[in-house]
Amino acid sequence: MAEMAREPSQQPTAPELTLVGKVVDGWSRFLDSDVFYSFKRSPLIIVAFAVTVLLILGAFLAPWIAPHDTTNMASLNLMDAFKPPAWSVGGDGSFLLGTDDQGRDMLSGIMFGMQASLVIGFASVALAAIVGTILGLISGYVGGRVDSVIMRVADVQLTFPAILIALLIDGIVGSVLPRNTAEELTYPVLILAIASSLWVNFARTVRGSTLVEKNREYVQAAKVIGIHPTLIMVRHVLPNVMGPVLVIATLSLALAILTEATLSFLGVGIPSSEPSLGTLIRIGQEYLFSGEWWMTIFPGIALVILVLAVNLLGDWLRDALNPKLR
Amino acid sequence: MSQTLAAENREVPDTRSGASEQPLVQVQDLARYFDVSPPWLNRILENEPRSILKAVDGVSFDIPRGKTFSLVGESGCGKSTVARLVVGLYQPTRGTIHFEGVDMATLKTRKQQAPVRRRFQMIFQDPFASLNPRWRVAEIIAEPIRAHGIMSDDGQIRRRVGELLEQVRLSARDGEKFPHEFSGGQRQRISIARALASNPEFLVCDEPTSALDVSVQAQILNLMKELQKELGLTYLFISHDLAVVYHISDYVGVMYLGRLVEWGEARRVFFNPQHPYTRMLLDAIPDLEMTGRQRIPVAGEVPSPIHPPSGCHFHPRCPFANDRCRSETPQTRDFGEGGQVRCHAVEEGRLPPPGESGALTAGRDLNE
Amino acid sequence: MSDTERTPLLEVRDLRVEFPTRRGTLVAVNGVSFDIKEGEVLGVVGESGAGKSLTGSAVIGLLEPPGRIAAGEVRLKGRRIDNLPYREMRRVRGREIGMVFQDPLTSLNPLYTVGRQLVETILTHRDVSEETARKQAIDLLAEVGIPAPERRIDQYPHQFSGGMRQRVVIALALCVNPKLVIADEPTTALDVSIQAQIIKLLKRMCKEHGAAVMLITHDMGVIAETADRVAVMYAGRIAEIGPVRDVVQNAKHPYTHGLMGSIPMIGHDTDRLTQIEGSMPRLTEIPQGCAFNPRCPHAFDRCRSERPELIPVDDTRVACWLFDEGAKKAAE
């Protein structure tokens, strides 16, 4: 009803918000948003969110809160090897989930392993999101030949399964570089390998949204004003195509963690001296039939819970950000 | 081909320095074709020819300073394409646009264009799509000010934004809100404020009230008229609503399938329409005064602009069409009472007077 | 009203449509009552947000969830239809109430030929052979002015132009001779020159088939040309209802009055259109008392506190305290 409310304005100028004001304002707008409302309303998502946060905290605080330091070879005692979980016969109270073949605590191993998985997951998704978004934005906004080239590259990329690309890159790096350098480069190589299979998704989605947004009238208005195309892309189009990027990033995180685990399981990822969920499962599965089931089952369960929680979050975010589905 | 409007309407008093002044905007033989062919492979496989959509085909008109020129027509007639050509969103296939005597095509670089661009702006149809949903209103309005370097001091810009908001009858404090917090009419006001931010002289308005309710439309039309008086603005107004066009315009052009079929001084076009299409459009307006006048609904529908009829595009729907209309494209001819008409029948003088063909018998209003 | 001998075809009493949302329940239609007599054209006019389309949807039982009829009743020929089970309501919709929507494409299935849709509708509601149904369909298409109906009947909706499609929709709405047709903005999506054709056709067809029409539109011009009576809606309520001539030419409610003045007309040379300040309130912030009071130039204290009911004035009924006898005397 305020359309014509010409209240005598005490301040003739539009007030400027301070940084703190902006943050407070942004936070209160978030608490009032439909996304937060839909979050509050679904217990499953609250649980998934809590589990994800717990796992991430556990992984990154591992050096301080893990019961044993599995990265320190000196602290290992081979006498502790093959201990079953604490609650079974022969279990040891200080090794809650048992130990592996070298006497490393499974729980601590999982925590450190998850840290490796998450670091690689976040980094590869971030890389893929940045590259994919930029390429998708350019492809959609500029169009023409640039668009054709980028999208054909993306098409070719899609014909290779993610694992194959990762194996390929890993293989090349492994054979070209000396062994020591290759091992030092394990993380960057894994991140690059996984990101190269993920960027296509970002690029395609961003391109699609950009094609829609660039014909909207606010973009045309910016053109009439005479704004430089790069600025239009960055300041007008980009903020309006970021919603889907967030969704894909979340879903890709689960995929990236799985890919990393798969690669490590196949032995081309992180070397077995450094635990990751994949390497833990690989080492454990050799003992699966000799009775030491905990060595592979617990990292497996951790992986399943992590991926499931992140996926649930991603699915929910997709629905919450898409007003048509609500 | 087209004489200047101002020259032909000397009897129309100009509010400014006189009728002989150069028109602010001159459009000469403007054309824009779009290639709407199917992709290359489909054309080869299905043996389809290239198809070219002549969205605008040889349109000429002038807009005197401080006046409103309206383009009216049905969907697909090319009126919005003309608007986008004039502001430079599309490049013309043929023809020229002069802004204060400067040929826009000679301005090649962004730097050369900037001083001219600042002086014309555009208002769009959909108030829900024309404002960036992620920006605060103050940032939206400040964008042209910053882009053209009109002001650089933040406090100064903030004051200017507040002034602009009050100029369109909003409150300066509305600047801190987001577009979704406003109604359609208020958003259109914000759109107008943004257009005014670079102190333009010429506004292109593409159906600015078509998405609004009538009572809100009245507010926006009143505002536009007030601003025109206050700031001496020149408008190119695009609309399909003849009553709105009558209310706001000094000059009216009627478009049909990419061609300007008739233009002239607004009262002349409405009360003494020449082209059969203009007469037909006027006749299609619902009668709010309930005089019981029997309207004669127009026969037929607008043909596809991709395959327009031969000769005069209007001939399949025209009751006065003959063989010449079907084969020969009529040329634009000057019309005695000002403006131009593109019609063989008018040229040959074989049309009945407007009243008898069922058009508005509103001559009485003129004679009073 | 004058003809008491005719029982109303459609009676709507105190209709209330609600939308439960997380910020509380929105009342989109509030206490709306009107009748439509047999063969009558009732125009329902209002700006966006007035609740006119929702009233139409509520009558035919097509409210989209979470919207629901919270109170009131709808009677067709004396029989309540607002609480019918879904299947039965569907029969009523096809057979007794026909529908014409703004976008002809939403009423036609793009995957079936026009003929198949007509024939199926006829077969569902009538006991005739398929050949007879097809013949009737062709006759109907000819009746709505589609050239070469024998050929066009086997074409798909996308092969028709916008105006022709709306003609098909009108044929579809009338193919089983319903007693009532609800037309929601039937001409809004069409070009100016086509609108007049379609309005004329709708009027003629309904007259010939003996159907009453509830014509929902924002376009006063369409109402003036078509309707017998008109209901003006504002913020979910009827502001004024009466014979079309009285409402269009001699509007009583300040809102209707302002609305009529704000329409530009050819031949009327005014520099300024009459302007109703402000805009229709959002459903979340409908003011107390008369919903129009903050925009009304004549508002007085009572308007701000007490909601006016429809008050009979001549042939019209107006929801405005200005026409309340008691208030008038007090003012004098």
Side-chain angles (χ1 to χ4, degrees), chain A residues 272-287:
Chain A
S272 35
S273 55
E274 280 183 62
S276 87
L277 289 179
T279 42
L280 287 175
I281 295 170
R282 178 177 53 141
I283 298 165
Q285 61 99 27
E286 292 165 22
Y287 300 95

Side-chain angles (χ1 to χ4, degrees), chain A residues 175-222:
Chain A
S175 60
V176 171
L177 298 174
R179 200 181 154 71
N180 276 349
T181 331
E183 259 185 26
E184 271 169 31
L185 283 177
T186 311
Y187 272 57
V189 165
L190 264 180
I191 291 166
L192 189 70
I194 297 171
S196 71
S197 70
L198 291 177
W199 72 272
V200 177
N201 249 334
F202 290 95
R204 292 201 150 185
T205 310
V206 169
R207 175 180 174 267
S209 321
T210 305
L211 285 178
V212 174
E213 295 297 324
K214 87 167 176 186
N215 288 319
R216 301 282 294 273
E217 288 177 343
Y218 70 87
V219 174
Q220 306 219 337

Side-chain angles (χ1 to χ4, degrees), chain B residues 74 226 229 295 298 301, chain C residues 48 161 193 197 225 271-272:
Chain B
E74 294 174 280
E226 286 162 24
K229 262 188 219 140
R295 290 198 283 145
V298 191
E301 301 191 17
Chain C
S48 45
S161 66
S193 66
Q197 299 172 7
E225 295 236 317
D271 210 29
R272 251 183 95 78

Side-chain angles (χ1 to χ4, degrees), chain B residues 251-308:
Chain B
Y251 302 96
V252 176
V254 180
M255 284 189 74
Y256 189 71
L257 287 178
R259 293 178 185 160
L260 196 56
V261 295
E262 175 167 9
W263 68 259
E265 202 241 324
R267 291 180 65 87
R268 201 281 289 157
V269 173
F270 278 96
F271 296 127
N272 188 14
Q274 292 302 307
H275 198 284
Y277 179 62
T278 314
R279 299 181 184 193
M280 190 197 88
L281 274 184
L282 284 168
D283 211 36
I285 302 169
D287 180 13
L288 253 183
E289 305 196 296
M290 308 189 60
T291 51
R293 170 173 65 86
Q294 238 356 79
R295 290 198 283 145
I296 306 154
V298 191
E301 301 191 17
V302 185
S304 151
I306 301 173
H307 306 289

Side-chain angles (χ1 to χ4, degrees), chain A residues 103-126:
Chain A
R104 285 182 292 205
D105 174 37
M106 283 313 297
L107 178 61
S108 310
I110 288 171
M111 286 168 82
F112 281 101
M114 204 176 273
Q115 184 182 354
S117 297
L118 282 169
V119 164
I120 290 173
F122 278 122
S124 54
V125 167

Side-chain angles (χ1 to χ4, degrees), chain A residues 1 3-4 32-34 37, chain C residues 22-23 277-279 281 285 294:
Chain A
M1 273 318 290
E3 167 118 14
M4 291 302 291
D32 197 42
S33 68
D34 290 338
Y37 178 75
Chain C
R22 67 179 168 107
R23 293 184 206 278
E277 303 289 304
S279 57
E285 42 203 45

Side-chain angles (χ1 to χ4, degrees), chain A residues 226-248:
Chain A
I227 310 290
H228 194 277
T230 318
L231 272 183
I232 295 182
M233 263 195 272
V234 176
R235 303 185 59 200
H236 286 283
V237 181
L238 186 61
N240 285 295
V241 298
M242 283 312 280
V245 170
L246 195 61
V247 174
I248 298 180

